[in-house]
Every structure is written in structure tokens, then in C-alpha cells.
Amino acid sequence: MLETTIAGSLPKPAWLAEPDKLWASWRAQGEELEQFKRRSATEWLKHQEEAGIDIVTNGEQFRVHFVHGFLEHIDGIDWNKKTPMGIRDNRYTVQVPTVTGPVSRPQSVHLYEVRFTRSQTDRKLKFTLPGPMTICDTIADVHYGSRPEMAMAFAKILNDEARELVAAGVDVIQFDEPAFNVFMSDVKQWGIDALHRAIDGLSCTTAVHICYGYGIEENLSWKRTLGNEWRQYEEIFPALNASRIGQISLECADSRVPLSLMRLLKDKDVLVGSVAVTADGVETPEQVAATIRAAIPYVDVERLYPCTNCGMAPIPYSVALGKLQSLAAGAALVRTQL
Ligand SMILES: [Zn+2]
């Protein structure tokens, strides 16, 4: 009961990549870089196990960014044709690559790192992939001319990838869809259909992560415009509850999301964000426990998984480590009382 997990990403140590930022440059090249990635992933697995996290990840130590880390290995994308794009409905502008032809996956993208990660832990293993809608909102397109059509093309190759990763021992495949909180009507029109294509035939647990973004200034200032109650989830949760996705990962700690919205997910496992992902301090276990307790009236404890609000890639290493420890300790406090 109250098994703990994390949204996915963790900071990279300074010897692996430039610290405290997104799209950080690697510190090494070639086989040395691969060794550094493996060493860092192993250290994060150990940190998670020692903290008491039940369902672990490799902290996304093998990829530059949660979307582009996958896209780098996909054909049909021109990385020299960079287009400035106001992603997440113009929340921030990024120079993104461009889809110039039909997308295809010449070979597995993450199989090597999954095999390595699986060999390093006996815990349940989660692996995260970018969701089709969020991919379409993080890449320019001069080929498909239609986001729903391009999303389906990506969903097919994500599904092929996910099937290989499950065969290699992954217990949970999670698709990250921060765009679901921005394009709510698209979610209902085609976003969930694309996710269904991405999870087709998977024998593992499936999850979708929907958040208000990393703890970076662009997102924090966006949140200040959202008013006293953040009700974006209300528009999409009924459709997600009716979907075939098993778990929904959402933001809850230090957030203005009305907790009662979790009632809309009565048939799903709910990954309740119980630590924020900002750099300005670490919650105490008691604070984490209070967030979990506040969710219990709306989510049966059998379906409640204490989690992080989002990925922790851009925050300092020591802060993320402290948050992992408080997350597990806070869940343990609640478990003891129950
Ligand atoms: Zn997130």
C-alpha cells in the first residue's frame, strides 16, 4: 500500500552534464560518456533503493531531454533545420528540429539502457517515453500538416519501442504528456486515441504523466497567471478515467489543483505528486505525509501512489536527493498510521 515512485527524471551530476539546467551539454564523449551515464544511473538507483522508493527509474541519465532524447534516433527529422517554436501554447520558445518526411524507428532507441538498468536493480522498474501529443508540441512539421496525423505516426513507433522495453523487463511504461494540460480539447479529440495506439498490446502497467511543468522560471511565472484554482485537469480527467491507461500521474504538492478533482479518476491508480520540483528547499517527511493524507479522501489508498510532481532534472542534485528521501519517509509515516 502507498507504493512510492517518481515522475521520472533526476538531476545529472556535474561530471556527466552541465548542472541545474535543461538541455544541458554532456561533459564527455564516446565510450567515456556511456560509462559516465551508466555510473550515474547506478548511483541514482542506489539512492532510490536506500531512500525506500518502491518503483524506480534510471533518472533519465542517458538522454539530453525527455522529448529530444527519443527523437534523436528517429528518421524523418532534420536536426539542421531548426525552427523557433512557442511550445506549450507559447509558454516558452525553443529552437526545435523539423519533421521533413515520414517518421520511422530504424532500431530500438532505449533498449541498451533498459537492459543495463534492469541488471542493476530488483525493484519494479518504470521507464518514461514522451507522449505523442507532447512530441508534436516540441517539434516543427513540414511533412504531415496535421498534428493528429503526426501524433499517430509517432504513437506507432512509440508502441514498437515500448514493446521491446517491456520484453526486456520494464514493469511500468509511462508516457509524459505535459501538453495535455494545455490543449485540453485536443486531448479529447485525438490525444487519448494516440495514447491508446502507443499502449496497444503492452502487457505491463501503463501510465500517463500530466503536470504543470518543470520547476523552471517560465513555468512558475505561467502558474502565477492561472488564478487561485487550477482546473485544467477537470476537463480531461473524465476522458482519462474512461481510457485504457492504467495510472495517471498528477501534480498535487504546493499546487492550486483542487484535490477533489482526483475523484474524477475513480477507476485509475493515481500517482499523487507529494513533493514539488522547485529548487528552493526540501519538504520534511511530515509535509509529504500531510499532502498524502489530504489526498486520501479522494483516492482509495489501494490506488494511491505517492510520487513527485514532475521530473527533477533541472534542480540541484542534493535537493533532488533530499526530496526522494522525504517522499519515501513521508509515505512510510502515513502507512504506519493506516
Ligand atoms: Zn512533468
Side-chain angles (χ1 to χ4, degrees):
M1 190 174 54
L2 296 179
E3 278 189 300
T4 51
T5 188
I6 63 172
S9 73
L10 290 163
K12 297 185 181 83
W15 44 261
L16 174 60
E18 210 180 340
D20 308 340
K21 65 182 289 192
L22 289 178
W23 280 285
S25 313
W26 298 115
R27 297 285 208 197
Q29 293 177 333
E31 181 48 32
E32 188 185 39
L33 175 60
E34 297 311 310
Q35 274 178 23
F36 283 4
K37 291 174 177 176
R38 291 194 294 269
R39 179 175 141 207
S40 184
T42 303
E43 288 180 2
W44 271 122
L45 290 167
K46 194 155 179 280
H47 289 323
Q48 290 170 85
E49 291 183 3
E50 284 173 358
I53 302 295
D54 299 297
I55 304 162
V56 300
T57 80
N58 68 15
E60 303 181 7
Q61 300 299 294
F62 294 81
R63 63 185 87 166
V64 164
H65 179 263
F66 83 99
V67 178
H68 290 176
F70 180 75
L71 296 183
E72 274 172 7
H73 303 273
I74 300 304
D75 284 352
I77 297 170
D78 186 345
W79 289 82
N80 295 317
K81 191 178 167 68
K82 288 280 175 73
T83 309
M85 186 168 168
I87 70 171
R88 315 293 176 264
D89 200 19
N90 292 316
R91 203 184 311 159
Y92 47 107
T93 300
V94 181
Q95 294 287 333
V96 297
T98 306
V99 174
T100 53
V103 292
S104 65
R105 190 190 66 127
Q107 58 188 28
S108 173
V109 176
H110 297 296
L111 187 58
Y112 155 80
E113 67 173 284
V114 162
R115 282 189 179 140
F116 173 78
T117 308
R118 183 68 284 175
S119 75
Q120 298 296 304
T121 181
D122 296 325
R123 298 270 163 108
K124 284 187 201 164
L125 179 63
K126 178 199 274 197
F127 198 82
T128 57
L129 291 167
M133 179 184 283
T134 298
I135 290 178
C136 293
D137 193 46
T138 319
I139 194 164
D141 167 39
V142 296
H143 174 74
Y144 289 97
S146 144
R147 275 202 180 186
E149 199 185 314
M150 184 161 77
M152 275 298 172
F154 277 114
K156 187 215 171 278
I157 56 180
L158 287 164
N159 182 251
D160 293 341
E161 175 78 10
R163 285 175 185 237
E164 283 191 61
L165 304 184
V166 174
V170 168
D171 301 286
V172 184
I173 292 279
Q174 175 181 294
F175 290 97
D176 293 331
E177 285 284 27
F180 271 26
N181 245 353
V182 183
F183 305 107
M184 283 84 78
S185 58
D186 288 347
V187 172
K188 290 174 275 188
Q189 284 169 24
W190 55 267
I192 291 174
D193 289 345
L195 271 189
H196 280 156
R197 179 69 188 87
I199 65 163
D200 183 45
L202 297 187
S203 56
C204 67
T205 300
T206 57
V208 60
H209 167 72
I210 306 162
C211 62
Y212 288 82
Y214 287 125
I216 57 175
E217 187 48 40
E218 290 86 343
N219 292 329
L220 300 177
S221 52
W222 172 58
K223 288 178 177 188
R224 287 193 282 271
T225 70
L226 295 178
N228 287 330
E229 280 205 327
W230 301 347
R231 303 199 75 95
Q232 283 76 8
Y233 287 146
E234 191 169 25
E235 284 192 53
I236 56 174
F237 278 0
L240 282 164
N241 192 60
S243 77
R244 296 195 294 277
I245 308 288
Q247 303 186 326
I248 316 295
S249 164
L250 50 84
E251 176 161 332
C252 187
D254 195 25
S255 153
R256 294 193 185 150
V257 172
L259 301 185
S260 59
L261 297 185
M262 290 189 277
R263 276 209 180 105
L264 299 170
L265 297 173
K266 63 183 174 51
D267 301 313
K268 299 297 167 189
D269 290 345
V270 183
L271 278 52
V272 175
S274 306
V275 290
V277 292
T278 46
D280 57 354
V282 176
E283 293 86 347
T284 63
E286 289 73 21
Q287 286 172 311
V288 172
T291 302
I292 298 168
R293 278 191 214 106
I296 288 177
Y298 310 105
V299 185
D300 314 321
V301 285
E302 298 75 28
R303 297 188 291 113
L304 198 165
Y305 293 71
C307 185
T308 58
N309 271 358
C310 185
M312 297 203 279
I315 67 174
Y317 197 100
S318 59
V319 175
L321 181 56
K323 283 173 177 282
L324 282 185
Q325 291 161 343
S326 284
L327 174 61
L333 282 177
V334 181
R335 225 177 275 133
T336 311
Q337 288 173 334
L338 292 171

